[in-house]
Structure formats: C-alpha cells, structure tokens
Amino acid sequence: MKVLVRLTFLVLSVLVYSYQATKTGPDWWKSSVIYQIYPRSFKDSDNDGIGDLQGIISKIDYFVELGVDAIWLSPIYKSPMVDAGYDISDYRSIAPEYGNLSDFKELLEAAHKNGLKLILDFVPNHTSNLHEWFNKSVAREEGYEDYYLWNDGYVDDDGVRQPPNNWLSLWSFSGWEWNEQRQQYYFHQFSIQQPDLNYRSEKVRQEMKDILTYWLDIGVDGFRVDAVPHIYEDELLRDEPIVPDSGVDDTNWNYLNHIYTKDQPETFELVYSWRTHLDNYTNTVGGDTRMFMTECSSDMENLVKYYGNENGTVLGAHFTFNFYFLGINENTTAADLQSDITVWYQNLPSIYTFNWLTGNHDNHRVASKVGQSRVDAYNMLISFLDGVTITYMAEEIGQENGEVTCEQGQDPSAIKNCTTFNETTRDFERTPFQWDNSTNAGFNEGAPTWLPVSSKYLETNLQEERLASRSHYHVYTDLVQLKASLSAYNSSYIFVNSLLNNRLLEVQKALDDPHQSTYRLYFNTGNEALTVSLDQNYTVVIPSVNLAYTQGLTDNDLVLNSGDSVIIKVL
C-alpha cells in the first residue's frame, strides 16, 4: 500500500534551530568525521589473533579512501586487560599485544602524512590495581598515600567490618573493596581491579596533566576522555538515596540515585582545567587545535555543562558525546528521531558544536538494531545534521553483531553470569572487522581470533561492497564527500519534521551560499511504502541502497519503501 503526501516547504516545516556559523572556517574538528577503531578487532598483522598497531598502519589508505578526518583509537596502553584496556597499568606505554611506542609513532606519522588526525582514548577515572601508583599507595609510600580514595569503614554492632557508605559499583555490589595490606577500603566505580583515583589530590591532578602533555609532545591531535561523570565523589561520603520502585535488587547500580558519585561540581571544574591546558599547549606550540571529547552518560542539563558555560567565557570539552541515537531500533519512529534531534538543537547554546553517532564498542551494531534496510538512513542522518559525525568501525559496511557464546566471551561484566550473557555482553559488537571473504574475513592469516569472526562475513564484507555498484560502503563514502562540500558553507537553518503519523522524517538544510541551496533528507521509518510528491524539481544526490532511484535530476514523485532514505537538492 502506498500513501501519498504532498509537501509544501513553507507550510509544513517547523523551525527548531537557527544559527550562523563563522565564514572564515571553523576549526578542523567542527564538521569532521571521526572514525572509531577498536584496535583489538580491526586488523591483526602478526597472526596472533589480536588486532594491533601495525594492522592499523596497513589500512591507512582505507581511511583516506573513506574520506574521514580523524581516527580515534580505543585504549592501547599497557594493561592486564581485565576490562579490555580500560584498566591501565602504565599511561606512557603501549600494550605489548598492540605493539610498542615505535609502532605508535609510525602510525602517527602515517596518519599525519595522509592528512588524518589521530585521537587517543584517555581513561582518567581509575587505573589498574597493577599500576605502580596503586602499589605505592597501598604501601603508604610517601607522596602516594592519597592517590586513591581510601577509608577505614566502620565496625557494626555485630563486630563486622563494613564499608563507609552504600555506594555501589556500576558492575553491581559495593563500590568499596577491602585491602588487607593497607587495612582500608578503596573505592572503585567499575571492577575491583580498577581503583578510582582521588582527584582531591593535587599530585594526581598534575600527574594526569603531565600524561596529556606527554602524548601531545609525541604529536597526538586530541583525546576522547572516558567515564568523565564518575571522576569525583562527594567529599563527605554521604549515602546515596534509594530509587523508589526501581525493580532491581540492592546490589544493582540502578538501585541508587547517584547524586554523590556522578556529575559532581568539581568534575566540571576539572574538565574546564583540561580545556585550558590543551588550549595553552596549542597556543604555545602552534598548529591545529588539540581537541578533546568527553564520554558522559548524563542528563541534558549536565551534558551541556561539560561544554562550558552558556556564553562561552568558560570552556570545557570541545564536545561531549550525544548518545541519544544509541537506543534506535526497527520500531523507532520519525517522531522519536525528531525528538532526539530537537532536544539538542533547543538546549545546546549556539556557540557550541553538535555531534551525532549511532553506535560504539559498548552498544549493538546499527545493522542489528534497525535492520540492513535502514543502515543507510542512519548514516545519512548523522552526516547530514550539522556538527561532528562519529562512526564506529564497520558501520560503513553495515556489519552486524557477531555470534559469541558465553564460553567464548571476553566481556568481564557479562561472562560472570552465562544466564544473562546474551542480554549484557558487549562482545557481539566487538567481533573482528570483515575485510573480505577469505579465512577469518581477512582479519588475519587464519589463527584463532580473540573473539570469533562472524559467520555473516561471507555476505557482508568490505571487498564485496567495494565491487558492488551500490552498497552501504558506497553510500557512506558519498555521504562523507557531501558533508565536506556542504561544510564549506554556513547552514542558515535546519528544519526537522515528523510527518504522516510519524512515519516520514524530513530534515531540511538551507545553505548560505551563492545559490541559496536547500537540501532535504527523507527517511521512511514506517512499514509500508510512501509517495512523497514535491512541489519543485529536484536532484537525487544520495539514494539508499534499495531505493529505486539513482543520482540525477528528476521531477517525479519520490516513492520510499519501508526503510528507504534519500538526500535531494531542491532546484
């Protein structure tokens, strides 16, 4: 069944945001495409089953081919790998399974030679319990006594030692762990092997600035800062209130309202100090802006604070991640998307920069969440909207979740309970990149891989999509090129509409260029075909893979089947 709608621009469009960008050209990151690499799963150069830096170096041409501006590496530091590298034992060394510092410098040189920026993950909230700082703190070595959050706890009426308060770990159960040697509890927001640093210590704050400087001196272009909201805790160690009717037991992190262990005022001040540090570095050394982006699963009020204050006199992160699209699924409506977009346009001051993403290493792959027919639509959406586009590796080819059993699993928070493994694991989205249809999808030369290669690699891989006349890969590269060309102009306004009982999403972008060009994105989020009858001639700029149109001028109605999407230029 086809449903016909005639769209008239001035009548149906709803203005949600208006701003004027700087015509002299924003800094490199403001309209960039940043490509996230999960190094362990990208490319294995030495056939040991684990991706590595030389593997990334071997694929530098691929990033150039995609047209992305920057590559961002998930943690590559020395680590016992309790939490896939987010438990760092040495911030200045490379994990041996990935290579060494010489390999990293080679990668950096190759990236810069090819016009790519390189961004490192920075994990400041905690270290590994094998870090020398923790060992020295346990031993109460002079100068390290307060590097971590230590407390005596108390002895209850039954003579049993108890932690100082009710704070919980994100991985469930108490966030406090008793250390027999020191005879005190230490606090950990994540696993017991990831003790939280104490940022009330001036020495800790300086250590972390020195680490940033170390990597800046080597030549990195910026940082993605992990788990930012958890950096500071309430100095008085007050109990957190219980969430009424949470539906979870008292060991689950969601049992408490985290008013004392998340988004503390001191955390914002710390982020502002890091921005000052990076800006001072750029101003002193010269070159392009060294940027940083913060990972914050917080409410909108706090997300905006991580950017800085409302008038920009105090600056924080260049941007903080927009996770509003992570919850998309095959039933997401146009109204849902309009709401997710509008909340950012309405709440983020116009001096700051948007960012858009649909996936990462902690969330199921887009193709598995929404289906192959909608992959192009979401890649269109995050590249068409103004600001930074962030792509998790292999989203450009529509790679789906892999197949991993609990016995094969590597996610420490999930393999503890095989009954709930399928619901909690992050392994599915971390399986190796599917390069071609050879052994192990071209990830390596055939050695057993750290996570199994998906059986779907024979039908979805880069080689096949390159050869196809139409594919997700080709749509993606066209989108990156379009984004680059449009970013040369100011977007004088953005319109977002939910039409036809929330089945049709329309995004209109008007450019302040000599031709006053207007581009429109249409996405049929419904389950039946729609016919969009336009009142002007238009050029199809980028059609989704299954759309029955090719690029070029047309005056016909647009027929969009379920999941179809298109970007057009109105003439």
Side-chain angles (χ1 to χ4, degrees):
M1 175 182 179
K2 295 182 180 179
V3 179
L4 177 67
V5 58
R6 180 170 295 278
L7 301 180
T8 304
F9 178 78
L10 293 176
V11 176
L12 292 177
S13 295
V14 179
L15 179 64
V16 299
Y17 192 76
S18 178
Y19 80 100
Q20 192 72 23
T22 304
K23 288 193 174 184
T24 54
D27 215 337
W28 68 266
W29 54 274
K30 288 187 176 179
S31 59
S32 61
V33 179
I34 299 175
Y35 189 89
Q36 181 190 357
I37 297 171
Y38 197 72
R40 209 169 186 82
S41 295
F42 190 67
K43 176 65 176 174
D44 173 15
S45 71
D46 57 4
N47 203 36
D48 67 353
I50 297 173
D52 47 49
L53 295 180
Q54 285 295 330
I56 299 171
I57 292 169
S58 73
K59 296 297 183 181
I60 282 290
D61 289 348
Y62 178 57
F63 309 125
V64 177
E65 179 184 316
L66 286 177
V68 301
D69 301 288
I71 54 175
W72 147 37
L73 308 183
S74 290
I76 56 172
Y77 311 101
K78 187 176 181 181
S79 165
M81 296 292 170
V82 169
D83 185 22
Y86 286 90
D87 50 319
I88 296 169
S89 57
D90 186 347
Y91 286 94
R92 290 178 171 87
S93 297
I94 303 297
E97 53 263 65
Y98 295 147
N100 54 42
L101 192 57
S102 294
D103 294 319
F104 177 78
K105 290 179 178 179
E106 183 182 347
L107 170 59
L108 186 65
E109 182 180 2
H112 287 170
K113 182 179 179 181
N114 285 278
L116 296 163
K117 306 292 186 185
L118 195 150
I119 298 168
L120 284 184
D121 234 297
F122 179 55
V123 187
N125 177 70
H126 51 265
T127 70
S128 165
N129 62 342
L130 299 185
H131 198 293
E132 66 170 346
W133 298 344
F134 188 70
N135 293 330
K136 290 179 177 181
S137 194
V138 168
R140 298 181 188 266
E141 186 171 322
E142 184 177 353
Y144 292 90
E145 299 93 334
D146 65 346
Y147 262 49
Y148 298 84
L149 194 58
W150 294 101
N151 193 273
D152 293 335
Y154 68 95
V155 176
D156 65 19
D157 294 339
D158 297 323
V160 178
R161 184 185 294 114
Q162 298 291 349
N165 59 31
N166 70 346
W167 295 353
L168 296 169
S169 163
L170 276 84
W171 289 12
S172 297
F173 298 99
S174 175
W176 295 97
E177 181 71 12
W178 179 255
N179 183 272
E180 191 65 27
Q181 181 179 343
R182 178 154 168 151
Q183 290 290 295
Q184 280 188 309
Y185 288 96
Y186 65 86
F187 183 64
H188 58 95
Q189 292 268 16
F190 296 90
S191 76
I192 61 174
Q193 294 94 344
Q194 294 169 293
D196 273 39
L197 286 162
N198 174 25
Y199 277 84
R200 300 189 189 282
S201 164
E202 183 179 350
K203 290 182 179 179
V204 169
R205 296 195 300 273
Q206 188 59 48
E207 286 271 22
M208 301 314 275
K209 280 187 178 179
D210 290 345
I211 289 165
L212 291 173
T213 302
Y214 172 81
W215 290 105
L216 290 170
D217 285 345
I218 288 175
V220 303
D221 302 289
F223 303 91
R224 175 265 193 186
V225 188
D226 179 67
V228 170
H230 306 290
I231 288 176
Y232 271 93
E233 293 80 27
D234 176 51
E235 191 169 16
L236 300 178
L237 304 185
R238 287 172 284 189
D239 279 347
E240 292 191 314
I242 297 170
V243 175
D245 303 318
S246 65
V248 298
D249 65 48
D250 60 7
T251 66
N252 189 298
W253 193 72
N254 294 316
Y255 182 74
L256 299 177
N257 183 11
H258 301 286
I259 61 174
Y260 296 131
T261 59
K262 191 169 181 281
D263 297 316
Q264 299 301 292
E266 299 92 336
T267 306
F268 300 114
E269 294 300 322
L270 181 68
V271 168
Y272 303 157
S273 74
W274 286 340
R275 174 62 178 270
T276 299
H277 183 64
L278 265 65
D279 285 350
N280 287 344
Y281 188 94
T282 300
N283 293 334
T284 301
V285 176
D288 292 339
T289 294
R290 279 71 167 183
M291 56 83 75
F292 79 108
M293 44 192 180
T294 47
E295 186 226 11
C296 307
S297 297
S298 303
D299 57 32
M300 180 57 69
E301 180 181 358
N302 284 314
L303 285 173
V304 172
K305 289 180 184 177
Y306 286 109
Y307 277 87
N309 63 6
E310 288 189 4
N311 58 20
T313 57
V314 176
L315 295 174
H318 290 80
F319 61 88
T320 192
F321 282 153
N322 171 3
F323 289 147
Y324 275 59
F325 285 162
L326 287 182
I328 57 174
N329 58 55
E330 59 186 4
N331 297 315
T332 297
T333 68
D336 296 330
L337 295 172
Q338 181 184 21
S339 175
D340 288 343
I341 297 167
T342 302
V343 69
W344 278 88
Y345 278 101
Q346 290 182 337
N347 287 281
L348 188 67
S350 60
I351 57 174
Y352 296 125
T353 300
F354 301 110
N355 71 98
W356 312 94
L357 57 90
T358 53
N360 59 28
H361 61 293
D362 287 332
N363 290 270
H364 291 321
R365 289 192 170 279
V366 173
S368 293
K369 291 190 287 191
V370 304
Q372 287 287 350
S373 67
R374 288 168 163 76
V375 166
D376 295 332
Y378 284 103
N379 280 334
M380 283 185 187
L381 192 57
I382 64 174
S383 64
F384 189 69
L385 292 165
D386 290 331
V388 179
T389 299
I390 302 169
T391 297
Y392 178 51
M393 67 177 205
E395 300 290 10
E396 72 275 16
I397 63 171
Q399 183 169 320
E400 298 177 63
N401 285 349
E403 309 86 35
V404 184
T405 66
C406 186
E407 291 71 27
Q408 296 168 320
Q410 302 291 325
D411 183 353
S413 64
I415 58 178
K416 293 186 296 185
N417 186 347
C418 285
T419 303
T420 59
F421 176 80
N422 287 344
E423 290 72 44
T424 61
T425 187
R426 297 169 294 177
D427 289 327
F428 297 150
E429 55 266 21
R430 297 177 178 182
T431 56
F433 191 105
Q434 295 160 198
W435 293 100
D436 55 41
N437 58 11
S438 66
T439 302
N440 284 346
F443 173 68
N444 67 9
E445 299 300 320
T449 54
W450 81 283
L451 282 176
V453 173
S454 172
S455 63
K456 301 170 187 172
Y457 81 91
L458 291 173
E459 58 195 67
T460 302
N461 64 69
L462 175 63
Q463 180 185 52
E464 293 295 328
E465 295 206 10
R466 274 176 169 157
L467 295 173
S469 58
R470 299 181 72 175
S471 68
H472 298 314
Y473 162 79
H474 290 305
V475 171
Y476 182 87
T477 55
D478 286 347
L479 288 169
V480 173
Q481 291 178 22
L482 178 65
K483 180 182 178 72
S485 65
L486 298 189
S487 67
Y489 304 102
N490 301 323
S491 292
S492 55
Y493 52 78
I494 294 284
F495 290 82
V496 184
N497 302 304
S498 169
L499 305 167
L500 289 178
N501 295 320
N502 304 328
R503 287 175 289 172
L504 181 66
L505 181 74
E506 176 191 53
V507 182
Q508 302 195 34
K509 179 197 290 274
L511 300 182
D512 183 12
D513 68 2
H515 305 290
Q516 295 296 303
S517 303
T518 298
Y519 289 79
R520 304 184 190 179
L521 183 158
Y522 290 107
F523 171 25
N524 180 2
T525 68
N527 295 319
E528 56 185 29
L530 303 173
T531 299
V532 181
S533 182
L534 300 167
D535 55 0
Q536 296 168 267
N537 288 349
Y538 61 92
T539 297
V540 172
V541 180
I542 303 178
S544 61
V545 170
N546 296 321
L547 191 66
Y549 297 85
T550 56
Q551 294 170 331
L553 176 66
T554 182
D555 57 3
N556 298 322
D557 293 342
L558 270 173
V559 178
L560 303 179
N561 290 315
S562 175
D564 281 351
S565 56
V566 65
I567 294 175
I568 65 171
K569 181 178 180 180
V570 179
L571 304 179

